[in-house]
């Protein structure tokens, strides 16, 4: 009887170990799906952006964004997650009942040095397809561009060609990026419409 119980316990432990190992491998595989180094850009222009997919916080999965040329986006930040999460939740609560006077959002501003990297992917048959570009926002100290929240904008093609760089005072930057982000100045110029809270 004891040997039967020993075998039974051993089989249960073996099954649990295998299950844990499989879950761990699945989690690694799911994480690695976002860690494909397909975007080539000058990392010297963006502090500490080497290995950003592994080192930074991924805020979203693949999200369809009508705001960004009808593409899919994946968003990363170096240390802006706390404010981003708060602003996402505050906006979501306000959006559910914008007429409620007691339901006014309290948005956070991002600390100086916050960087967002947004990977942009083509849409094909309603799904993400080929990578298109990287867009970047960098929060500078006061004096960089006060009316624009002191944000610098950058965009690079997949092969690393710089498509734009500067503040909203640059005509191309204003037309392509900053003019739209001005609409969410109350959220410190970051839309924060998507959030999955995952690595």
């Amino acid at each position: 009887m004891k040997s039967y119980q020993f075998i039974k316990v051993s089989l249960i432990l073996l099954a649990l170990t295998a299950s844990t190992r499989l879950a761990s491998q699945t989690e690694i595989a799911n994480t690695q799906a976002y860690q494909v180094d397909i975007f080539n850009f000058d990392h010297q222009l963006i502090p500490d952006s080497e290995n950003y997919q592994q080192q930074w916080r991924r805020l979203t999965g693949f999200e369809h964004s009508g705001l960004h040329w009808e593409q899919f986006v994946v968003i990363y930040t170096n240390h802006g997650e706390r404010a981003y999460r708060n602003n996402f939740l505050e906006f979501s609560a306000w959006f559910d009942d914008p007429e409620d006077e007691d339901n006014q959002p309290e948005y956070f501003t991002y600390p100086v040095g916050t960087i967002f990297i947004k990977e942009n992917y083509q849409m094909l048959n309603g799904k993400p397809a080929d990578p298109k570009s990287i867009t970047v926002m960098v929060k500078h100290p006061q004096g960089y561009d006060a009316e624009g929240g002191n944000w610098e904008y950058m965009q690079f093609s997949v092969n690393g060609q710089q498509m734009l760089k500067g503040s909203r005072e640059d005509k191309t930057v204003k037309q392509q990026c900053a003019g739209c982000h001005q609409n969410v100045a109350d959220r410190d110029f970051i839309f924060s419409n998507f959030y999955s809270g995952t690595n």
Side-chain angles (χ1 to χ4, degrees):
M1 181 64 85
K2 287 183 180 179
S3 61
Y4 171 75
Q5 289 178 337
F6 175 77
I7 292 171
K8 186 177 177 182
V9 169
S10 298
L11 288 173
I12 290 171
L13 288 174
L14 188 61
L16 287 172
T17 303
S19 175
T20 302
R21 186 178 298 131
L22 181 60
S24 177
Q25 289 172 345
T26 302
E27 184 178 332
I28 290 169
N30 288 340
T31 302
Q32 288 174 342
Y34 295 91
Q35 297 176 356
V36 180
D37 190 12
I38 51 180
F39 294 96
N40 180 25
F41 60 94
D42 186 355
H43 291 283
Q44 292 183 355
L45 294 173
I46 308 166
D48 303 317
S49 62
E50 291 267 0
N51 301 316
Y52 71 91
Q53 292 173 317
Q54 291 84 19
Q55 303 299 324
W56 292 15
R57 188 71 172 169
R58 178 167 52 85
L59 300 174
T60 72
F62 287 96
E63 301 287 350
H64 175 254
S65 177
L67 297 170
H68 295 99
W69 314 290
E70 290 294 331
Q71 295 178 352
F72 278 85
V73 300
V74 179
I75 303 170
Y76 296 84
T77 188
N78 58 346
H79 53 258
E81 185 191 15
R82 179 175 174 268
Y84 186 98
R85 180 179 61 240
N86 174 79
N87 295 356
F88 168 80
L89 294 171
E90 290 288 312
F91 174 74
S92 298
W94 171 84
F95 189 80
D96 283 343
D97 191 4
E99 303 300 323
D100 183 356
E101 293 181 4
D102 295 327
N103 186 29
Q104 296 307 306
E106 295 183 19
Y107 295 125
F108 290 174
T109 57
Y110 294 93
V112 170
T114 297
I115 303 172
F116 288 94
I117 291 181
K118 181 163 54 62
E119 301 175 342
N120 305 294
Y121 297 84
Q122 281 183 316
M123 181 172 65
L124 181 64
N125 299 323
K127 298 177 182 178
D130 294 338
K132 286 292 290 181
S133 66
I134 285 271
T135 45
V136 180
M137 290 179 69
V138 180
K139 179 85 170 196
H140 288 281
Q142 282 293 336
Y144 176 77
D145 175 16
E147 288 185 30
N150 298 301
W151 288 100
E152 179 182 17
Y153 299 81
M154 302 180 209
Q155 185 175 15
F156 303 92
S157 66
V158 176
N159 62 12
Q161 179 184 359
Q162 183 177 299
M163 301 164 73
L164 59 83
K165 183 179 187 300
S167 71
R168 84 187 153 78
E169 294 174 354
D170 180 278
K171 183 179 178 180
T172 303
V173 170
K174 184 174 183 179
Q175 183 180 29
Q176 294 292 320
C177 304
C180 193
H181 282 262
Q182 195 78 31
N183 294 317
V184 288
D186 59 339
R187 283 183 259 169
D188 201 9
F189 299 84
I190 300 291
F191 279 92
S192 58
N193 288 359
F194 311 117
Y195 178 66
S196 58
T198 183
N199 277 329

